Amino acid sequence: RRGGTVAVDVPHAYEVAQVLLENQVFVDYRPGAGIRIAPHFYSRDEEIEKAMAMIDDTLESGEWRRFEATTAVVT
C-alpha cells in the first residue's frame, strides 16, 4: 500500500521530534534531513495525518522549546 520514507524538514526538527516521541509517535530525527516518518503498510492514513498535525501544533504552540537545551542526536 505504501512505501518509502518521508522526511519533513521543519524549524527545530530535533526538538519537535522529541515531542512526537514523547507522545508515542515513532519518528527518527536526521541532521540535515529533518524528521523521518516511515509509513508502513499497516499505518492508517489517519495516523500519518495525526503526526503531521502534531508537528504543526508543536511548532505553533512552542512546545518544542522544552527540548531546546538538549543535544541533537540521531534518534
Side-chain angles (χ1 to χ4, degrees), residues 24-60:
Q24 304 298 305
V25 177
F26 300 108
V27 296
D28 289 323
Y29 165 73
R30 301 289 179 193
I35 300 170
R36 289 179 62 236
I37 303 171
H40 296 286
F41 69 93
Y42 52 82
S43 296
R44 295 186 322 262
D45 290 341
E46 296 83 23
E47 293 171 316
I48 304 304
E49 291 169 8
K50 178 183 174 185
M52 296 302 291
M54 285 185 71
I55 290 170
D56 289 340
D57 292 345
T58 300
L59 286 167
E60 187 174 311

Side-chain angles (χ1 to χ4, degrees), residues 11-20 22 54-71:
H12 316 290
Y14 173 76
E15 293 85 354
V16 172
Q18 299 314 298
V19 173
L20 269 63
E22 184 178 77
M54 285 185 71
I55 290 170
D56 289 340
D57 292 345
T58 300
L59 286 167
E60 187 174 311
S61 71
E63 187 178 2
W64 61 269
R65 287 189 168 92
R66 292 187 299 115
F67 295 96
E68 211 168 8
T70 58
T71 302

